[in-house]
Amino acid sequence: MKRVVKRATAMMMVVVLSIGVMAATAGAATTKTGMQAKVIDGQVYVNTKDLVKMFGGSGQYDAKSGTYTYKGSEAIPKVIEKVSPSVVGIIGKTTENQNGSSNDRYNLAHGTGVIIRANGWIVTNAHVVDQLVDPVVVTTDGNTYNITESFSDPLSDLALIKINAKALKPAVFAKASQAVVGETVIAIGTPISFSLRNSATVGVISGLNRGVEASYRLIQTDTAINPGNSGGPLVNLKGEVVGINSMKFSAVGIESMGFSIPVDTVNFVINQFFKYGTIKRASLGLQLEESWSAIVGLPAEDPLTVTSVLSAEAKKAKIKEGDVIYSIAGKRVSSVVDINELLKAYLPGQKVKLLVQTDGDIVTRTITLVDRASLEEQSDDSLLTDDEQ
């Protein structure tokens, strides 16, 4: 059955322990979450400070009973109470209605945003602000603001907007790569109707590093993400934003398949906008073809094939059609998303080494990265396809 990807923007037309303590010594180990651990008689023990640091909450040791009582991180209602003031609703007229006119007073769409700075900077989805005319931002205290500055990056589906406000409450963002599968998360946003602002839904992280319908890897969650949740936060139980909600799969027989943009990609885009006023996105200047395994999602390390050389820099590096690329800067790549993720660490003009098979020989080529936006402008097509990098 055909699946349909829906951006979570709402269109409005008329018509939410106790741990025993033992004193002993043994060989130390490191858990997958990064906490130091010791194995004693087959049991694993972790440092209580590491436990609190990793999962939040608090703990207290009772010397009399020899027990350590750990209280988990903030209860879900407390997390929602903490984060909600950092979440805003965004509403405005769409560029045109079904009849091609923008005069219909009910021809509205809305989404959600997250405050990142007290002076009015907000992150949201590009598809939220790009489709609106004269959008209005509504904060949790009911105040409304016009957008004074706006930056949009459709490739990552992220946008940065500014309102003239002071003393707003910025959200706290988690450190990159700390999210784990099975972790409880909360989505806060404006589902379906603008009157339902700051609705919260609860679920878990279903998967990480999902390469679906996007240029970068996404977080998969079963948390209910409905039209209007776009641009809102996905929050862990420490009240930290782990992702920005972006889209969902929607079709008969498909349930609880929402996706969020991870915090590392969000930080990448925000930092680029603040530093350059645009996204300086590095590109190899090549059009690449993924293997069958990569396309269908099978675990494989198949290389990518060069189908077209788009930049003068790539030609100078002696890359040609039919060459096969195994790795970039020493890191194995098997998909275009792999390359997009890797190149977030580079700027146009920098050089990287490629491990390439050409005419049957395995060679190393040094290539100068080009600006993707400039490459797109030079191309006969208005935009690169998803298979171009």
Side-chain angles (χ1 to χ4, degrees):
M1 185 170 294
K2 184 179 179 181
R3 67 187 185 188
V4 179
V5 179
K6 286 191 175 181
R7 298 294 185 183
T9 302
M11 300 293 296
M12 298 186 347
M13 304 297 289
V14 133
V15 229
V16 190
L17 125 99
S18 282
I19 304 173
V21 175
M22 295 179 60
T25 59
T30 302
T31 67
K32 287 185 177 181
T33 55
M35 290 187 291
Q36 291 296 315
K38 291 184 178 180
V39 179
I40 306 172
D41 297 330
Q43 300 295 315
V44 178
Y45 295 85
V46 299
N47 187 298
T48 57
K49 290 183 179 179
D50 289 341
L51 177 70
V52 172
K53 181 179 180 181
M54 182 63 64
F55 297 107
S58 61
Q60 185 174 4
Y61 175 61
D62 185 340
K64 186 175 181 180
S65 62
T67 60
Y68 175 85
T69 302
Y70 171 71
K71 294 182 180 179
S73 54
E74 299 179 70
I76 290 173
K78 290 291 186 182
V79 172
I80 297 170
E81 181 183 1
K82 173 183 177 181
V83 179
S84 285
S86 302
V87 181
V88 302
I90 305 170
I91 189 169
K93 286 187 176 182
T94 58
T95 52
E96 63 179 18
N97 64 17
Q98 294 177 345
N99 298 321
S101 170
S102 59
N103 294 324
D104 186 349
R105 63 181 295 191
Y106 299 109
N107 182 34
L108 302 173
H110 71 266
T112 307
V114 182
I115 298 168
I116 61 171
R117 292 193 178 180
N119 63 351
W121 284 104
I122 296 165
V123 66
T124 184
N125 283 146
H127 77 262
V128 170
V129 296
D130 288 350
Q131 68 173 335
L132 298 180
V133 177
D134 297 326
V136 172
V137 174
V138 181
T139 52
T140 53
D141 56 11
N143 289 325
T144 61
Y145 302 87
N146 293 322
I147 296 174
T148 59
E149 294 183 65
S150 179
F151 301 94
S152 176
D153 179 45
L155 197 65
S156 66
D157 193 26
L158 289 168
L160 197 59
I161 60 176
K162 176 75 164 60
I163 60 176
N164 283 331
K166 297 180 180 179
L168 297 178
K169 182 181 179 182
V172 176
F173 282 72
K175 293 183 179 179
S177 74
Q178 284 193 344
V180 294
V181 175
E183 179 181 3
T184 298
V185 285
I186 305 163
I188 303 176
T190 313
I192 310 300
S193 169
F194 202 67
S195 64
L196 301 179
R197 295 187 303 281
N198 287 82
S199 292
T201 53
V202 180
V204 299
I205 291 178
S206 306
L208 299 170
N209 299 316
R210 299 305 199 200
V212 290
E213 307 291 340
S215 297
Y216 296 104
R217 302 217 175 266
L218 301 174
I219 296 171
Q220 179 187 342
T221 178
D222 70 350
T223 308
I225 296 176
N226 294 296
N229 277 112
S230 276
L234 189 69
V235 183
N236 63 22
L237 291 186
K238 291 191 283 186
E240 299 170 334
V241 177
V242 298
I244 297 297
N245 300 320
S246 179
M247 65 182 184
K248 63 183 289 186
F249 282 147
S250 179
V252 175
I254 296 178
E255 297 180 0
S256 304
M257 291 281 286
F259 295 88
S260 298
I261 303 166
V263 65
D264 62 324
T265 300
V266 177
N267 286 335
F268 163 72
V269 171
I270 289 174
N271 292 338
Q272 288 260 325
F273 276 141
F274 278 137
K275 190 170 184 178
Y276 305 114
T278 187
I279 305 298
K280 291 190 174 183
R281 186 172 276 113
S283 169
L284 296 175
L286 303 171
Q287 181 173 324
L288 302 170
E289 182 179 70
E290 298 176 344
S291 69
W292 176 83
S293 297
I295 291 172
V296 301
L298 290 173
E301 292 187 348
D302 297 334
L304 296 101
T305 302
V306 177
T307 58
S308 181
V309 181
L310 305 175
S311 72
E313 289 82 354
K315 293 176 182 177
K316 186 176 180 180
K318 298 181 180 180
I319 306 293
K320 62 180 186 295
E321 291 183 20
D323 284 356
V324 174
I325 297 178
Y326 287 92
S327 68
I328 301 173
K331 296 182 180 180
R332 194 69 180 258
V333 291
S334 60
S335 70
V336 172
V337 172
D338 286 344
I339 296 176
N340 290 340
E341 289 287 346
L342 189 154
L343 292 183
K344 287 193 296 189
Y346 294 87
L347 288 171
Q350 292 183 308
K351 296 182 178 181
V352 293
K353 291 185 177 181
L354 311 183
L355 185 64
V356 179
Q357 181 177 340
T358 180
D359 297 328
D361 296 324
I362 301 295
V363 298
T364 298
R365 303 289 196 208
T366 300
I367 190 170
T368 300
L369 299 172
V370 296
D371 183 78
R372 178 163 180 157
S374 298
L375 192 64
E376 290 172 356
E377 292 175 0
Q378 296 170 10
S379 174
D380 292 334
D381 299 323
S382 59
L383 290 173
L384 294 177
T385 67
D386 288 340
D387 290 337
E388 293 177 356
Q389 186 39 266

